[in-house]
């Protein structure tokens, strides 16, 4: 009888917010590593316990994973290793402690699962390991429903497809509700810096309007700028005989609002997480927009029925759809393949990327912003063909409307304005259709 010899220890941790498919990555990593006689250690709660530098606590808050632990977890949302937003850099000696604890546990290969903050933490740990002369190699699996990590433009982060799927299903219900009750729904979707998820949900569901930070060129704006877009959509729908609709708003809009705008929103406050990000959960964006719009229509002597809904937390721990179940298996296997392959193209510390069905790892150094030192952000390309398609199916002023004086006059009358004042007031909301097709 042959006896397998343990080759080493591979660690796994999860950081940041939940996303559908985390367990699928954990399972794929653990199974492939175990097949190759590596012990797999799962660290609970991200960098939280490692950064404290207490080996007894680290051992208590970690576990040797077995086949029984991970057998069917790829069907489940959430994370069996839990997660946290702990920033090891904000804890005294936190980065140094993380590396020391991994060394003491015996980890030589490390898989981190997370978004921009987690990969930034992995980058810091990899640099500290080099500094200490500790042999630990990192492979980061990109995870975020925001889809904003700097992968090639045609490649999504895992969890995004499921979040879009669940979000679009919820939107279908909201659209039925809006039509049944003759009201407007304002749905806020997650996306700290970008509008990938909001646009994906809105485009899939056929929402009346979707608003993303990129359409403002990520510059400082006011609540009024957002409400102008929604009010025009509402007025245009009304003139066309449709007194209901659904607007999807990316929560990243909150990042463009100055502090004084946030402070005007009832129940909102300005707080920041350990990475310096504004806590968007403490900003009641949907209520701020709703309150502004209600005031506008009250001043016109008109009543309007608005409902605000937060989609965010309903999406993050959903059971992954098959697309993400397949994708996370590919990513998990690729992380282990990269770490355990001895070829010259498998050196260094990387983000795992599958491009056209092939492993194309991205070195940590190439995704870190030279000025901020943090991970770069992948924004929506508002010049792209697919973005243009999304806008063509949404309700806003466009070039065709501007040539229809009668229609514009009807819209102006809805707001008790004359045609010239209306055109000047809302000209900034106009979507300019392409000139390459006949109008």
């Amino acid at each position: 009888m042959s006896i397998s010899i343990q080759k080493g220890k591979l660690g796994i941790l999860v950081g940041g917010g939940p996303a559908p498919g985390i367990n699928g990555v954990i399972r794929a990593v653990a199974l492939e590593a175990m097949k190759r006689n590596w012990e797999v250690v799962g660290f609970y709660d991200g960098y939280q316990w490692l950064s404290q530098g207490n080996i007894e606590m680290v051992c208590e808050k970690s576990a040797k994973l077995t086949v029984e632990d991970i057998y069917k977890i790829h069907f489940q949302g959430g994370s069996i290793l839990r997660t946290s937003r702990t920033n090891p850099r904000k804890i005294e000696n936190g980065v140094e402690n993380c590396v020391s604890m991994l060394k003491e546990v015996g980890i030589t290969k490390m898989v981190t699962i997370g978004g921009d903050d987690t990969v930034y933490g992995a980058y810091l740990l990899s640099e500290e390991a080099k500094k200490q002369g500790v042999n630990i190699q990192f492979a980061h699996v990109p995870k975020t429903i925001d889809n904003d990590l700097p992968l090639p433009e045609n490649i999504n982060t895992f969890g995004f497809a499921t979040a879009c799927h669940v979000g679009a299903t919820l939107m279908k219900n909201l659209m039925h509700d809006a039509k049944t009750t003759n009201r407007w729904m304002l749905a806020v979707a997650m996306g700290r810096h970008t509008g990938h998820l909001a646009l994906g949900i809105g485009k899939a569901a056929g929402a009346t309007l979707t608003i993303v930070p990129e359409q403002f060129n990520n510059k400082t704006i006011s609540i009024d700028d957002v409400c102008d877009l929604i009010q025009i959509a509402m007025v245009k729908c009304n003139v066309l005989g449709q007194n209901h609709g659904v607007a999807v708003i990316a929560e990243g809009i909150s990042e463009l609002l100055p502090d004084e705008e946030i402070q005007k929103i009832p129940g909102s406050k300005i707080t920041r997480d350990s990475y310096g990000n504004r806590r968007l959960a403490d900003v009641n964006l949907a209520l701020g927009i709703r309150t502004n719009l209600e005031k506008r229509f009250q001043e016109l002597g008109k009543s309007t029925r608005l409902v605000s809904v937060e989609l965010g937390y309903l999406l993050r721990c959903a059971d992954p759809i098959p697309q993400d179940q397949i994708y996370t298996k590919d990513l998990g296997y690729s992380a282990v393949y990269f770490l355990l392959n001895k070829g010259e193209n498998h050196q260094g510390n990387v983000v795992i990327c599958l491009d056209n069905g092939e492993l194309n790892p991205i070195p940590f150094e190439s995704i870190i912003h030279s000025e901020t030192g943090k991970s770069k952000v992948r924004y929506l390309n508002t010049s792209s063909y697919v973005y243009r398609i999304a806008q063509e199916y949404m309700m806003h002023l466009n070039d065709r409307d501007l040539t229809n004086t009668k229609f514009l006059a009807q819209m102006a009358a809805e707001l008790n304005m004359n045609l010239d004042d209306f055109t000047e007031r809302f000209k900034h909301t106009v979507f300019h259709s392409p000139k390459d097709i006949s109008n």
Side-chain angles (χ1 to χ4, degrees), residues 200-221:
I201 291 172
K203 190 175 181 180
T208 316
L209 182 69
T210 301
I211 301 176
V212 298
E214 290 89 340
Q215 69 191 86
F216 300 103
N217 297 315
N218 292 298
K219 295 179 180 178
T220 301
I221 62 171

Side-chain angles (χ1 to χ4, degrees), residues 15-17 47 84-88 114-124 140 143 148-149 192-193 273-277 374-375:
Y47 298 115
S84 81
R85 294 191 181 276
T86 300
N87 181 353
D116 54 351
D117 291 333
T118 308
V119 70
Y120 176 54
Y123 166 73
L124 293 176
H140 181 81
K143 170 271 306 174
D148 60 358
L149 285 173
R192 171 174 296 284
H193 304 294
D273 65 20
S274 62
Y275 286 91
N277 302 309
K374 294 185 178 183
S375 171

Side-chain angles (χ1 to χ4, degrees), residues 169-188:
T169 301
L170 294 172
M171 283 296 298
K172 179 181 70 174
N173 298 338
L174 290 177
M175 291 166 73
H176 282 314
D177 195 306
K179 184 177 181 179
T180 300
T181 59
N182 291 324
R183 69 178 70 191
W184 272 76
M185 301 285 185
L186 308 175
V188 174

